[in-house]
Amino acid sequence: MDDCLFCKIARGEIPARKVYEDNDVLAFHDINPARPVHLLVIPKRHITSLATVSESDAPVLGKMLVIADRLAREQGSPDGFRVIINTGRIGHQEVQHLHVHIVGGPDPVGPMLKRI
Ligand code: AMP
Ligand code: ZN
């Protein structure tokens, strides 16, 4: 996906504040954090959204969730965090490359977030 923002970040063509990387997954700070801790975890391979995944994507999706707790702890949210995956028009997905938001910090995130 030549023009996809997060593919460009995965390829290193656009800078990001990376916090984790392996062969399949990349995590970096959200450029416009909604909370003191706001990370994005993406598959390096382009997947548009949760609405387009298939069975073969299960391993990478699992990996994205398995590292969430560790990243949240390392980045300053040791007592829990919230995971959000905005999907499609109704879910207000702005970047069309699947990403998991990890939000948290020292204080509770509250019952709902106004903007993610
Ligand atoms: P969503 O509405 O779930 O598609 O959220 C997209 C998120 O990507 C927003 O929270 C943006 O702040 C974030 N974002 C957009 N561009 C960048 C970038 N270049 N680096 C890091 N985060 C970004
Ligand atoms: Zn992409």
Side-chain angles (χ1 to χ4, degrees), residues 1-8 10-11 42-48 95-98:
M1 294 295 267
D2 289 353
D3 279 344
C4 170
L5 176 64
F6 288 174
C7 280
K8 287 182 178 173
R11 289 195 297 262
I42 66 169
K44 284 189 169 176
R45 177 172 56 83
H46 183 85
I47 300 172
T48 300
V95 177
Q96 303 305 312
H97 180 127
L98 177 66

mmCIF file with all atom_site columns, all heavy atoms in Angstrom, residues 1-8 10-11 42-48 95-98, ligand 2:
data_model
loop_
_atom_site.group_PDB
_atom_site.id
_atom_site.type_symbol
_atom_site.label_atom_id
_atom_site.label_alt_id
_atom_site.label_comp_id
_atom_site.label_asym_id
_atom_site.label_entity_id
_atom_site.label_seq_id
_atom_site.pdbx_PDB_ins_code
_atom_site.Cartn_x
_atom_site.Cartn_y
_atom_site.Cartn_z
_atom_site.occupancy
_atom_site.B_iso_or_equiv
_atom_site.pdbx_formal_charge
_atom_site.auth_seq_id
_atom_site.auth_comp_id
_atom_site.auth_asym_id
_atom_site.auth_atom_id
_atom_site.pdbx_PDB_model_num
ATOM   1   N  N   . MET A 1 1  ? 0.853   -1.198  0.000  1.00 0.00 ? 1  MET A N   1
ATOM   2   C  CA  . MET A 1 1  ? 0.000   0.000   0.000  1.00 0.00 ? 1  MET A CA  1
ATOM   3   C  C   . MET A 1 1  ? 0.887   1.246   0.000  1.00 0.00 ? 1  MET A C   1
ATOM   4   O  O   . MET A 1 1  ? 1.291   1.742   1.053  1.00 0.00 ? 1  MET A O   1
ATOM   5   C  CB  . MET A 1 1  ? -0.913  -0.025  1.236  1.00 0.00 ? 1  MET A CB  1
ATOM   6   C  CG  . MET A 1 1  ? -1.921  -1.155  1.192  1.00 0.00 ? 1  MET A CG  1
ATOM   7   S  SD  . MET A 1 1  ? -3.107  -0.978  -0.144 1.00 0.00 ? 1  MET A SD  1
ATOM   8   C  CE  . MET A 1 1  ? -4.426  -0.102  0.702  1.00 0.00 ? 1  MET A CE  1
ATOM   9   N  N   . ASP A 1 2  ? 1.155   1.765   -1.164 1.00 0.00 ? 2  ASP A N   1
ATOM   10  C  CA  . ASP A 1 2  ? 2.117   2.857   -1.329 1.00 0.00 ? 2  ASP A CA  1
ATOM   11  C  C   . ASP A 1 2  ? 1.749   4.112   -0.542 1.00 0.00 ? 2  ASP A C   1
ATOM   12  O  O   . ASP A 1 2  ? 2.608   4.765   0.032  1.00 0.00 ? 2  ASP A O   1
ATOM   13  C  CB  . ASP A 1 2  ? 2.228   3.240   -2.810 1.00 0.00 ? 2  ASP A CB  1
ATOM   14  C  CG  . ASP A 1 2  ? 2.950   2.160   -3.597 1.00 0.00 ? 2  ASP A CG  1
ATOM   15  O  OD1 . ASP A 1 2  ? 3.453   1.221   -2.945 1.00 0.00 ? 2  ASP A OD1 1
ATOM   16  O  OD2 . ASP A 1 2  ? 2.991   2.256   -4.829 1.00 0.00 ? 2  ASP A OD2 1
ATOM   17  N  N   . ASP A 1 3  ? 0.468   4.455   -0.539 1.00 0.00 ? 3  ASP A N   1
ATOM   18  C  CA  . ASP A 1 3  ? 0.042   5.732   0.025  1.00 0.00 ? 3  ASP A CA  1
ATOM   19  C  C   . ASP A 1 3  ? -0.487  5.642   1.453  1.00 0.00 ? 3  ASP A C   1
ATOM   20  O  O   . ASP A 1 3  ? -0.964  6.640   1.979  1.00 0.00 ? 3  ASP A O   1
ATOM   21  C  CB  . ASP A 1 3  ? -1.048  6.356   -0.865 1.00 0.00 ? 3  ASP A CB  1
ATOM   22  C  CG  . ASP A 1 3  ? -0.413  7.054   -2.058 1.00 0.00 ? 3  ASP A CG  1
ATOM   23  O  OD1 . ASP A 1 3  ? 0.805   7.299   -2.004 1.00 0.00 ? 3  ASP A OD1 1
ATOM   24  O  OD2 . ASP A 1 3  ? -1.138  7.334   -3.026 1.00 0.00 ? 3  ASP A OD2 1
ATOM   25  N  N   . CYS A 1 4  ? -0.414  4.480   2.038  1.00 0.00 ? 4  CYS A N   1
ATOM   26  C  CA  . CYS A 1 4  ? -0.977  4.298   3.379  1.00 0.00 ? 4  CYS A CA  1
ATOM   27  C  C   . CYS A 1 4  ? -0.015  4.855   4.437  1.00 0.00 ? 4  CYS A C   1
ATOM   28  O  O   . CYS A 1 4  ? 1.162   4.491   4.478  1.00 0.00 ? 4  CYS A O   1
ATOM   29  C  CB  . CYS A 1 4  ? -1.259  2.824   3.626  1.00 0.00 ? 4  CYS A CB  1
ATOM   30  S  SG  . CYS A 1 4  ? -1.685  2.466   5.330  1.00 0.00 ? 4  CYS A SG  1
ATOM   31  N  N   . LEU A 1 5  ? -0.523  5.738   5.281  1.00 0.00 ? 5  LEU A N   1
ATOM   32  C  CA  . LEU A 1 5  ? 0.310   6.404   6.299  1.00 0.00 ? 5  LEU A CA  1
ATOM   33  C  C   . LEU A 1 5  ? 1.023   5.400   7.201  1.00 0.00 ? 5  LEU A C   1
ATOM   34  O  O   . LEU A 1 5  ? 2.236   5.512   7.440  1.00 0.00 ? 5  LEU A O   1
ATOM   35  C  CB  . LEU A 1 5  ? -0.586  7.327   7.137  1.00 0.00 ? 5  LEU A CB  1
ATOM   36  C  CG  . LEU A 1 5  ? 0.075   8.040   8.315  1.00 0.00 ? 5  LEU A CG  1
ATOM   37  C  CD1 . LEU A 1 5  ? 1.143   9.010   7.851  1.00 0.00 ? 5  LEU A CD1 1
ATOM   38  C  CD2 . LEU A 1 5  ? -0.974  8.754   9.158  1.00 0.00 ? 5  LEU A CD2 1
ATOM   39  N  N   . PHE A 1 6  ? 0.283   4.426   7.710  1.00 0.00 ? 6  PHE A N   1
ATOM   40  C  CA  . PHE A 1 6  ? 0.911   3.506   8.657  1.00 0.00 ? 6  PHE A CA  1
ATOM   41  C  C   . PHE A 1 6  ? 1.813   2.494   7.957  1.00 0.00 ? 6  PHE A C   1
ATOM   42  O  O   . PHE A 1 6  ? 2.774   2.005   8.566  1.00 0.00 ? 6  PHE A O   1
ATOM   43  C  CB  . PHE A 1 6  ? -0.137  2.833   9.548  1.00 0.00 ? 6  PHE A CB  1
ATOM   44  C  CG  . PHE A 1 6  ? -0.747  3.763   10.593 1.00 0.00 ? 6  PHE A CG  1
ATOM   45  C  CD1 . PHE A 1 6  ? -1.795  3.338   11.398 1.00 0.00 ? 6  PHE A CD1 1
ATOM   46  C  CD2 . PHE A 1 6  ? -0.252  5.047   10.782 1.00 0.00 ? 6  PHE A CD2 1
ATOM   47  C  CE1 . PHE A 1 6  ? -2.337  4.183   12.361 1.00 0.00 ? 6  PHE A CE1 1
ATOM   48  C  CE2 . PHE A 1 6  ? -0.796  5.910   11.733 1.00 0.00 ? 6  PHE A CE2 1
ATOM   49  C  CZ  . PHE A 1 6  ? -1.844  5.474   12.526 1.00 0.00 ? 6  PHE A CZ  1
ATOM   50  N  N   . CYS A 1 7  ? 1.548   2.178   6.693  1.00 0.00 ? 7  CYS A N   1
ATOM   51  C  CA  . CYS A 1 7  ? 2.515   1.376   5.924  1.00 0.00 ? 7  CYS A CA  1
ATOM   52  C  C   . CYS A 1 7  ? 3.823   2.152   5.789  1.00 0.00 ? 7  CYS A C   1
ATOM   53  O  O   . CYS A 1 7  ? 4.909   1.577   5.886  1.00 0.00 ? 7  CYS A O   1
ATOM   54  C  CB  . CYS A 1 7  ? 1.967   1.019   4.552  1.00 0.00 ? 7  CYS A CB  1
ATOM   55  S  SG  . CYS A 1 7  ? 0.809   -0.360  4.540  1.00 0.00 ? 7  CYS A SG  1
ATOM   56  N  N   . LYS A 1 8  ? 3.713   3.455   5.567  1.00 0.00 ? 8  LYS A N   1
ATOM   57  C  CA  . LYS A 1 8  ? 4.926   4.283   5.442  1.00 0.00 ? 8  LYS A CA  1
ATOM   58  C  C   . LYS A 1 8  ? 5.697   4.302   6.756  1.00 0.00 ? 8  LYS A C   1
ATOM   59  O  O   . LYS A 1 8  ? 6.932   4.244   6.756  1.00 0.00 ? 8  LYS A O   1
ATOM   60  C  CB  . LYS A 1 8  ? 4.559   5.715   5.013  1.00 0.00 ? 8  LYS A CB  1
ATOM   61  C  CG  . LYS A 1 8  ? 4.143   5.811   3.552  1.00 0.00 ? 8  LYS A CG  1
ATOM   62  C  CD  . LYS A 1 8  ? 3.849   7.253   3.182  1.00 0.00 ? 8  LYS A CD  1
ATOM   63  C  CE  . LYS A 1 8  ? 3.484   7.363   1.711  1.00 0.00 ? 8  LYS A CE  1
ATOM   64  N  NZ  . LYS A 1 8  ? 3.034   8.712   1.344  1.00 0.00 ? 8  LYS A NZ  1
ATOM   65  N  N   . ALA A 1 10 ? 5.598   1.896   8.968  1.00 0.00 ? 10 ALA A N   1
ATOM   66  C  CA  . ALA A 1 10 ? 6.150   0.530   9.106  1.00 0.00 ? 10 ALA A CA  1
ATOM   67  C  C   . ALA A 1 10 ? 7.403   0.360   8.255  1.00 0.00 ? 10 ALA A C   1
ATOM   68  O  O   . ALA A 1 10 ? 8.329   -0.361  8.641  1.00 0.00 ? 10 ALA A O   1
ATOM   69  C  CB  . ALA A 1 10 ? 5.086   -0.500  8.715  1.00 0.00 ? 10 ALA A CB  1
ATOM   70  N  N   . ARG A 1 11 ? 7.450   1.031   7.105  1.00 0.00 ? 11 ARG A N   1
ATOM   71  C  CA  . ARG A 1 11 ? 8.619   0.932   6.216  1.00 0.00 ? 11 ARG A CA  1
ATOM   72  C  C   . ARG A 1 11 ? 9.734   1.904   6.611  1.00 0.00 ? 11 ARG A C   1
ATOM   73  O  O   . ARG A 1 11 ? 10.796  1.913   5.984  1.00 0.00 ? 11 ARG A O   1
ATOM   74  C  CB  . ARG A 1 11 ? 8.211   1.228   4.768  1.00 0.00 ? 11 ARG A CB  1
ATOM   75  C  CG  . ARG A 1 11 ? 7.366   0.151   4.118  1.00 0.00 ? 11 ARG A CG  1
ATOM   76  C  CD  . ARG A 1 11 ? 7.314   0.328   2.593  1.00 0.00 ? 11 ARG A CD  1
ATOM   77  N  NE  . ARG A 1 11 ? 6.687   1.566   2.190  1.00 0.00 ? 11 ARG A NE  1
ATOM   78  C  CZ  . ARG A 1 11 ? 5.413   1.688   1.799  1.00 0.00 ? 11 ARG A CZ  1
ATOM   79  N  NH1 . ARG A 1 11 ? 4.636   0.627   1.775  1.00 0.00 ? 11 ARG A NH1 1
ATOM   80  N  NH2 . ARG A 1 11 ? 4.924   2.856   1.447  1.00 0.00 ? 11 ARG A NH2 1
ATOM   81  N  N   . ILE A 1 42 ? 0.302   -1.630  15.413 1.00 0.00 ? 42 ILE A N   1
ATOM   82  C  CA  . ILE A 1 42 ? -0.160  -1.946  14.055 1.00 0.00 ? 42 ILE A CA  1
ATOM   83  C  C   . ILE A 1 42 ? 0.496   -3.238  13.554 1.00 0.00 ? 42 ILE A C   1
ATOM   84  O  O   . ILE A 1 42 ? 1.612   -3.568  13.962 1.00 0.00 ? 42 ILE A O   1
ATOM   85  C  CB  . ILE A 1 42 ? 0.146   -0.798  13.054 1.00 0.00 ? 42 ILE A CB  1
ATOM   86  C  CG1 . ILE A 1 42 ? 1.659   -0.620  12.855 1.00 0.00 ? 42 ILE A CG1 1
ATOM   87  C  CG2 . ILE A 1 42 ? -0.509  0.495   13.505 1.00 0.00 ? 42 ILE A CG2 1
ATOM   88  C  CD1 . ILE A 1 42 ? 2.039   0.298   11.685 1.00 0.00 ? 42 ILE A CD1 1
ATOM   89  N  N   . PRO A 1 43 ? -0.193  -3.926  12.653 1.00 0.00 ? 43 PRO A N   1
ATOM   90  C  CA  . PRO A 1 43 ? 0.492   -4.989  11.913 1.00 0.00 ? 43 PRO A CA  1
ATOM   91  C  C   . PRO A 1 43 ? 1.368   -4.331  10.855 1.00 0.00 ? 43 PRO A C   1
ATOM   92  O  O   . PRO A 1 43 ? 0.964   -3.335  10.239 1.00 0.00 ? 43 PRO A O   1
ATOM   93  C  CB  . PRO A 1 43 ? -0.661  -5.769  11.264 1.00 0.00 ? 43 PRO A CB  1
ATOM   94  C  CG  . PRO A 1 43 ? -1.755  -4.759  11.117 1.00 0.00 ? 43 PRO A CG  1
ATOM   95  C  CD  . PRO A 1 43 ? -1.591  -3.755  12.221 1.00 0.00 ? 43 PRO A CD  1
ATOM   96  N  N   . LYS A 1 44 ? 2.574   -4.839  10.633 1.00 0.00 ? 44 LYS A N   1
ATOM   97  C  CA  . LYS A 1 44 ? 3.425   -4.248  9.588  1.00 0.00 ? 44 LYS A CA  1
ATOM   98  C  C   . LYS A 1 44 ? 2.829   -4.473  8.202  1.00 0.00 ? 44 LYS A C   1
ATOM   99  O  O   . LYS A 1 44 ? 2.926   -3.615  7.327  1.00 0.00 ? 44 LYS A O   1
ATOM   100 C  CB  . LYS A 1 44 ? 4.831   -4.847  9.672  1.00 0.00 ? 44 LYS A CB  1
ATOM   101 C  CG  . LYS A 1 44 ? 5.647   -4.294  10.821 1.00 0.00 ? 44 LYS A CG  1
ATOM   102 C  CD  . LYS A 1 44 ? 7.085   -4.755  10.728 1.00 0.00 ? 44 LYS A CD  1
ATOM   103 C  CE  . LYS A 1 44 ? 7.957   -4.008  11.712 1.00 0.00 ? 44 LYS A CE  1
ATOM   104 N  NZ  . LYS A 1 44 ? 9.341   -4.510  11.701 1.00 0.00 ? 44 LYS A NZ  1
ATOM   105 N  N   . ARG A 1 45 ? 2.235   -5.626  8.030  1.00 0.00 ? 45 ARG A N   1
ATOM   106 C  CA  . ARG A 1 45 ? 1.561   -5.934  6.763  1.00 0.00 ? 45 ARG A CA  1
ATOM   107 C  C   . ARG A 1 45 ? 0.229   -5.194  6.728  1.00 0.00 ? 45 ARG A C   1
ATOM   108 O  O   . ARG A 1 45 ? -0.478  -5.146  7.738  1.00 0.00 ? 45 ARG A O   1
ATOM   109 C  CB  . ARG A 1 45 ? 1.344   -7.452  6.712  1.00 0.00 ? 45 ARG A CB  1
ATOM   110 C  CG  . ARG A 1 45 ? 0.607   -7.979  5.530  1.00 0.00 ? 45 ARG A CG  1
ATOM   111 C  CD  . ARG A 1 45 ? 0.645   -9.508  5.512  1.00 0.00 ? 45 ARG A CD  1
ATOM   112 N  NE  . ARG A 1 45 ? 0.134   -10.114 6.742  1.00 0.00 ? 45 ARG A NE  1
ATOM   113 C  CZ  . ARG A 1 45 ? -1.149  -10.324 7.016  1.00 0.00 ? 45 ARG A CZ  1
ATOM   114 N  NH1 . ARG A 1 45 ? -2.080  -9.955  6.152  1.00 0.00 ? 45 ARG A NH1 1
ATOM   115 N  NH2 . ARG A 1 45 ? -1.522  -10.887 8.156  1.00 0.00 ? 45 ARG A NH2 1
ATOM   116 N  N   . HIS A 1 46 ? -0.102  -4.605  5.589  1.00 0.00 ? 46 HIS A N   1
ATOM   117 C  CA  . HIS A 1 46 ? -1.323  -3.807  5.528  1.00 0.00 ? 46 HIS A CA  1
ATOM   118 C  C   . HIS A 1 46 ? -2.572  -4.658  5.734  1.00 0.00 ? 46 HIS A C   1
ATOM   119 O  O   . HIS A 1 46 ? -2.816  -5.611  5.011  1.00 0.00 ? 46 HIS A O   1
ATOM   120 C  CB  . HIS A 1 46 ? -1.437  -3.084  4.182  1.00 0.00 ? 46 HIS A CB  1
ATOM   121 C  CG  . HIS A 1 46 ? -2.657  -2.194  4.134  1.00 0.00 ? 46 HIS A CG  1
ATOM   122 N  ND1 . HIS A 1 46 ? -2.647  -0.909  4.618  1.00 0.00 ? 46 HIS A ND1 1
ATOM   123 C  CD2 . HIS A 1 46 ? -3.925  -2.426  3.722  1.00 0.00 ? 46 HIS A CD2 1
ATOM   124 C  CE1 . HIS A 1 46 ? -3.850  -0.381  4.486  1.00 0.00 ? 46 HIS A CE1 1
ATOM   125 N  NE2 . HIS A 1 46 ? -4.650  -1.284  3.943  1.00 0.00 ? 46 HIS A NE2 1
ATOM   126 N  N   . ILE A 1 47 ? -3.346  -4.271  6.749  1.00 0.00 ? 47 ILE A N   1
ATOM   127 C  CA  . ILE A 1 47 ? -4.707  -4.774  6.950  1.00 0.00 ? 47 ILE A CA  1
ATOM   128 C  C   . ILE A 1 47 ? -5.550  -3.525  7.124  1.00 0.00 ? 47 ILE A C   1
ATOM   129 O  O   . ILE A 1 47 ? -5.211  -2.655  7.933  1.00 0.00 ? 47 ILE A O   1
ATOM   130 C  CB  . ILE A 1 47 ? -4.812  -5.669  8.205  1.00 0.00 ? 47 ILE A CB  1
ATOM   131 C  CG1 . ILE A 1 47 ? -3.893  -6.892  8.109  1.00 0.00 ? 47 ILE A CG1 1
ATOM   132 C  CG2 . ILE A 1 47 ? -6.259  -6.081  8.445  1.00 0.00 ? 47 ILE A CG2 1
ATOM   133 C  CD1 . ILE A 1 47 ? -3.816  -7.717  9.396  1.00 0.00 ? 47 ILE A CD1 1
ATOM   134 N  N   . THR A 1 48 ? -6.624  -3.391  6.376  1.00 0.00 ? 48 THR A N   1
ATOM   135 C  CA  . THR A 1 48 ? -7.366  -2.129  6.392  1.00 0.00 ? 48 THR A CA  1
ATOM   136 C  C   . THR A 1 48 ? -8.080  -1.893  7.720  1.00 0.00 ? 48 THR A C   1
ATOM   137 O  O   . THR A 1 48 ? -7.974  -0.808  8.308  1.00 0.00 ? 48 THR A O   1
ATOM   138 C  CB  . THR A 1 48 ? -8.384  -2.094  5.235  1.00 0.00 ? 48 THR A CB  1
ATOM   139 O  OG1 . THR A 1 48 ? -7.664  -2.222  4.013  1.00 0.00 ? 48 THR A OG1 1
ATOM   140 C  CG2 . THR A 1 48 ? -9.155  -0.789  5.219  1.00 0.00 ? 48 THR A CG2 1
ATOM   141 N  N   . VAL A 1 95 ? -7.567  6.475   10.074 1.00 0.00 ? 95 VAL A N   1
ATOM   142 C  CA  . VAL A 1 95 ? -6.452  5.909   9.307  1.00 0.00 ? 95 VAL A CA  1
ATOM   143 C  C   . VAL A 1 95 ? -6.844  4.494   8.887  1.00 0.00 ? 95 VAL A C   1
ATOM   144 O  O   . VAL A 1 95 ? -7.146  3.645   9.733  1.00 0.00 ? 95 VAL A O   1
ATOM   145 C  CB  . VAL A 1 95 ? -5.154  5.893   10.139 1.00 0.00 ? 95 VAL A CB  1
ATOM   146 C  CG1 . VAL A 1 95 ? -4.024  5.225   9.360  1.00 0.00 ? 95 VAL A CG1 1
ATOM   147 C  CG2 . VAL A 1 95 ? -4.753  7.317   10.531 1.00 0.00 ? 95 VAL A CG2 1
ATOM   148 N  N   . GLN A 1 96 ? -6.815  4.256   7.589  1.00 0.00 ? 96 GLN A N   1
ATOM   149 C  CA  . GLN A 1 96 ? -7.337  2.989   7.044  1.00 0.00 ? 96 GLN A CA  1
ATOM   150 C  C   . GLN A 1 96 ? -6.260  1.900   7.024  1.00 0.00 ? 96 GLN A C   1
ATOM   151 O  O   . GLN A 1 96 ? -6.014  1.258   5.992  1.00 0.00 ? 96 GLN A O   1
ATOM   152 C  CB  . GLN A 1 96 ? -7.927  3.226   5.652  1.00 0.00 ? 96 GLN A CB  1
ATOM   153 C  CG  . GLN A 1 96 ? -9.025  4.290   5.624  1.00 0.00 ? 96 GLN A CG  1
ATOM   154 C  CD  . GLN A 1 96 ? -10.160 4.011   6.609  1.00 0.00 ? 96 GLN A CD  1
ATOM   155 O  OE1 . GLN A 1 96 ? -10.683 2.909   6.673  1.00 0.00 ? 96 GLN A OE1 1
ATOM   156 N  NE2 . GLN A 1 96 ? -10.553 5.022   7.378  1.00 0.00 ? 96 GLN A NE2 1
ATOM   157 N  N   . HIS A 1 97 ? -5.606  1.747   8.162  1.00 0.00 ? 97 HIS A N   1
ATOM   158 C  CA  . HIS A 1 97 ? -4.658  0.648   8.398  1.00 0.00 ? 97 HIS A CA  1
ATOM   159 C  C   . HIS A 1 97 ? -4.920  0.240   9.842  1.00 0.00 ? 97 HIS A C   1
ATOM   160 O  O   . HIS A 1 97 ? -4.772  1.082   10.755 1.00 0.00 ? 97 HIS A O   1
ATOM   161 C  CB  . HIS A 1 97 ? -3.216  1.133   8.184  1.00 0.00 ? 97 HIS A CB  1
ATOM   162 C  CG  . HIS A 1 97 ? -2.149  0.100   8.405  1.00 0.00 ? 97 HIS A CG  1
ATOM   163 N  ND1 . HIS A 1 97 ? -1.167  -0.186  7.458  1.00 0.00 ? 97 HIS A ND1 1
ATOM   164 C  CD2 . HIS A 1 97 ? -1.880  -0.700  9.464  1.00 0.00 ? 97 HIS A CD2 1
ATOM   165 C  CE1 . HIS A 1 97 ? -0.349  -1.117  7.928  1.00 0.00 ? 97 HIS A CE1 1
ATOM   166 N  NE2 . HIS A 1 97 ? -0.764  -1.451  9.151  1.00 0.00 ? 97 HIS A NE2 1
ATOM   167 N  N   . LEU A 1 98 ? -5.324  -0.983  10.029 1.00 0.00 ? 98 LEU A N   1
ATOM   168 C  CA  . LEU A 1 98 ? -5.734  -1.463  11.355 1.00 0.00 ? 98 LEU A CA  1
ATOM   169 C  C   . LEU A 1 98 ? -4.743  -1.045  12.440 1.00 0.00 ? 98 LEU A C   1
ATOM   170 O  O   . LEU A 1 98 ? -3.531  -1.211  12.270 1.00 0.00 ? 98 LEU A O   1
ATOM   171 C  CB  . LEU A 1 98 ? -5.840  -2.992  11.316 1.00 0.00 ? 98 LEU A CB  1
ATOM   172 C  CG  . LEU A 1 98 ? -6.185  -3.704  12.616 1.00 0.00 ? 98 LEU A CG  1
ATOM   173 C  CD1 . LEU A 1 98 ? -7.584  -3.346  13.071 1.00 0.00 ? 98 LEU A CD1 1
ATOM   174 C  CD2 . LEU A 1 98 ? -6.065  -5.213  12.434 1.00 0.00 ? 98 LEU A CD2 1
HETATM 175 ZN ZN  . ZN  B 2 .  ? -1.199  0.285   5.432  1.00 0.00 ? 2  ZN  B ZN  1
#
